[in-house]
């Protein structure tokens, strides 16, 4: 059946419009947001190992939306990237599964790390550090490279000749059909959806419970704290605890967003395995619509972390504001500094009174030069 015959179904039209208009929006949001997130988080990797995970997560999310979401959108335009040649067929399948798996399991690892920090604070410094962060990232990448490596030889282009038309199709080669089409969808669901969902859900409960208990304990300690306690010690403890709470809040936002956006896909996978609604054409189209909505929610998870960081991280917003100021005002700032340095070199540096119209710029430059830490 041709596409023009399917346009008579409202469900098919809606499904097509969701992809045509939703995919470019998510691509733009995900690209810009993840690039900014990587830039800000990567500068702060020395402060906490969590930022190392999140900076790599930003890169993997970009790869996910370009390998997966962009390909889905191009299909609506009649462009099938995986059918261009045999190499693209193998590479697109491999990267599609690999990048999405690594992205999700980075969230799992960083959730495990945050659980250790909150529940076992005395053991956290020896486990939650840059060394183990690099080891964890490398381990996840190696595991999912090996797990999905079979796509490089189990997939290939197959050509179907119909009269004078040759139609290419990227699918499993003979001997791997059962693995790729029957077994692997469940393996992928287990690694991408089911297992991470359960782990993150349970650990988030543990984190929230320990955060509440720690908050109550701090209130008790404040009441019993001696007035003679050093101000410097109190300030250092407060700053350390405040930083830990900010990171925990950011992580909870990321992990709960994952739970919300992946839950519909989990439900549909289980439902479709129990109930077959594809016996009729309308039932098949409705199932495709539901799967498209669930799939777009999954890609949303890979596109909105920047907004979650901004919503939950005051210092992240500060660094983003400083970055925006530096990008918008930098040419003017360079000219001002150049003029000031020239005057200083000539030995005559008069007092300069800034006009009120330049107040925002001066404040912005001072804000950027001072630096804002996550």
């Amino acid at each position: 059946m041709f596409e023009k015959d399917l346009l008579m179904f409202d469900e098919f039209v809606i499904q097509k419009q969701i992809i045509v208009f939703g995919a470019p929006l998510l691509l733009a949001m995900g690209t810009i947001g993840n690039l900014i997130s990587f830039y800000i988080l990567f500068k702060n990797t020395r402060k906490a190992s969590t930022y190392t995970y999140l900076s790599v997560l930003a890169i993997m999310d970009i790869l996910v939306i370009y390998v997966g979401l962009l390909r889905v959108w191009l299909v609506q335009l009649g462009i099938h990237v995986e059918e261009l040649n045999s190499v693209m067929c193998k590479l697109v399948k491999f990267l599609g599964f690999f990048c999405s798996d690594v992205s999700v399991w980075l969230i799992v690892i960083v959730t495990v790390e945050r659980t250790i920090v909150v529940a076992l604070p005395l053991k956290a410094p020896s486990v939650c550090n840059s060394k183990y962060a690099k080891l964890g990232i490398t381990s996840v990448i190696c595991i999912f490279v090996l797990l999905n490596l079979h796509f490089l030889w189990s997939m290939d282009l197959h050509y179907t000749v119909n009269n004078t038309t040759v139609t290419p199709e990227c699918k499993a080669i003979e001997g791997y059909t059962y693995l790729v089409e029957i077994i692997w969808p469940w393996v992928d669901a287990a690694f991408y959806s089911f297992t991470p969902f359960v782990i993150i859900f349970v650990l988030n409960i543990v984190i929230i419970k320990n955060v509440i208990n720690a908050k109550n304990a701090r209130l008790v300690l404040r009441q019993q704290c001696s007035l003679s306690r050093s101000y410097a010690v109190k300030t250092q403890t407060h700053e350390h605890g405040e930083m830990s709470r900010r990171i925990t809040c950011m992580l909870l936002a990321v992990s709960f967003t994952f739970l919300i956006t992946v839950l519909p896909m989990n439900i549909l996978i289980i439902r479709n395995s129990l109930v077959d609604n594809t016996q009729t054409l309308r039932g098949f189209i409705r199932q495709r619509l539901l799967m498209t909505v669930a799939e777009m929610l999954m890609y949303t998870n890979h596109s909105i972390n920047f907004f979650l960081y901004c919503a939950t991280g005051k210092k992240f917003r500060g660094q983003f504001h400083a970055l925006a100021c530096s990008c918008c005002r930098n040419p003017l700032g360079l000219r001002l500094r150049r003029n000031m340095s020239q005057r200083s070199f000539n030995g005559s540096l008069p007092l300069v009174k800034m006009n009120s119209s330049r107040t925002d710029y001066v404040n912005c430059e001072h804000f950027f030069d001072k630096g804002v830490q996550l």
Side-chain angles (χ1 to χ4, degrees):
M1 180 175 289
F2 296 101
E3 181 175 327
K4 63 180 180 180
D5 299 320
L6 299 175
L7 291 174
M8 61 181 294
F9 296 97
D10 293 336
E11 293 88 348
F12 179 79
V13 176
I14 295 173
Q15 179 250 347
K16 190 175 181 64
Q17 290 179 343
I18 289 174
I19 298 177
V20 171
F21 296 105
L25 177 62
L26 291 179
L27 280 168
M29 289 170 48
T31 302
I32 298 173
N34 284 315
L35 286 176
I36 296 174
S37 297
F38 172 77
Y39 178 79
I40 295 176
L41 293 169
F42 186 75
K43 292 196 306 180
N44 293 274
T45 52
R46 294 183 179 181
K47 298 183 178 70
S49 57
T50 301
Y51 297 136
T52 303
Y53 291 112
L54 295 182
S55 60
V56 177
L57 175 64
I59 297 300
M60 298 308 301
D61 282 342
I62 292 177
L63 293 177
V64 169
I65 60 177
Y66 273 90
V67 175
L69 184 58
L70 179 61
R71 178 178 57 85
V72 172
W73 182 63
L74 290 176
V75 169
Q76 302 300 317
L77 304 180
I79 303 173
H80 298 264
V81 178
E82 67 273 19
E83 296 177 358
L84 294 177
N85 51 58
S86 179
V87 174
M88 291 300 295
C89 171
K90 299 173 183 292
L91 197 60
V92 167
K93 288 294 183 181
F94 169 75
L95 289 178
F97 285 96
F98 164 74
C99 294
S100 57
D101 288 338
V102 172
S103 174
V104 169
W105 279 90
L106 285 175
I107 299 177
V108 173
I109 293 181
V110 80
T111 305
V112 172
E113 183 194 63
R114 188 49 34 181
T115 305
I116 295 174
V117 171
V118 173
L120 303 170
L122 297 179
K123 294 184 178 180
S126 60
V127 178
C128 306
N129 51 49
S130 177
K131 174 184 176 181
Y132 282 99
K134 294 176 181 178
L135 179 61
I137 293 170
T138 304
S139 299
V140 168
I141 291 176
C142 291
I143 289 172
F144 287 107
V145 164
L146 295 175
L147 186 66
N148 296 288
L149 196 63
H150 70 88
F151 284 111
L152 298 182
W153 61 78
S154 63
M155 302 291 296
D156 205 349
L157 277 183
H158 295 258
Y159 296 92
T160 303
V161 180
N162 185 12
N163 295 330
T164 58
T165 304
V166 178
T167 305
E169 183 181 3
C170 181
K171 63 180 183 179
I173 64 175
E174 186 178 355
Y176 289 94
T177 303
Y178 186 78
L179 170 66
V180 174
E181 297 181 2
I182 306 299
I183 297 178
W184 205 253
W186 285 102
V187 173
D188 178 60
F191 279 100
Y192 181 82
S193 300
F194 296 144
T195 306
F197 184 93
V198 173
I199 295 175
I200 292 175
F201 181 78
V202 173
L203 293 183
N204 277 353
I205 294 176
V206 174
I207 291 174
I208 293 174
K209 181 180 178 181
N210 280 273
V211 167
I212 295 174
N213 292 339
K215 182 178 180 180
N216 294 334
R218 283 195 302 270
L219 292 176
V220 174
L221 288 175
R222 286 177 183 176
Q223 295 174 356
Q224 299 175 352
C225 183
S226 173
L227 295 177
S228 61
R229 186 181 179 186
S230 171
Y231 174 76
V233 174
K234 288 192 294 183
T235 303
Q236 184 178 5
T237 303
H238 173 74
E239 290 179 353
H240 178 75
E242 190 65 28
M243 179 180 178
S244 179
R245 286 192 292 274
R246 287 197 302 265
I247 297 176
T248 302
C249 186
M250 290 173 61
L251 175 61
L252 286 175
V254 172
S255 56
F256 270 117
T257 300
F258 167 78
L259 295 178
I260 294 171
T261 54
V262 170
L263 180 60
M265 180 60 74
N266 291 342
I267 295 174
L268 283 178
I269 291 174
I270 297 174
R271 173 182 174 272
N272 294 338
S273 65
L274 299 176
V275 181
D276 184 11
N277 293 324
T278 61
Q279 296 179 353
T280 63
L281 181 58
R282 181 174 291 275
F284 173 74
I285 294 175
R286 286 178 177 175
Q287 180 170 307
R288 281 190 59 183
L289 172 60
L290 293 175
M291 291 297 292
T292 298
V293 172
E295 189 176 10
M296 294 299 286
L297 281 174
M298 287 170 49
Y299 286 122
T300 300
N301 172 63
H302 298 284
S303 305
I304 63 172
N305 282 342
F306 166 76
F307 302 98
L308 299 178
Y309 300 150
C310 286
T312 58
K314 181 180 179 181
K315 297 300 183 180
F316 185 92
R317 291 195 301 270
Q319 286 208 0
F320 172 63
H321 180 261
L323 177 63
C325 285
S326 67
C327 292
C328 295
R329 310 289 188 173
N330 195 46
L332 184 60
L334 286 176
R335 288 197 298 270
L336 179 64
R337 292 190 183 98
R338 190 180 298 115
N339 293 335
M340 296 289 282
S341 62
Q342 289 175 355
R343 293 180 183 181
S344 177
F345 179 78
N346 293 332
S348 58
L349 183 61
L351 294 177
V352 179
K353 181 180 180 181
M354 293 296 180
N355 297 327
S356 59
S357 60
R358 299 284 297 279
T359 302
D360 292 339
Y361 163 69
V362 174
N363 291 339
C364 182
E365 283 294 314
H366 173 72
F367 185 66
F368 178 72
D369 292 336
K370 183 179 179 181
V372 182
Q373 296 180 351
L374 285 176

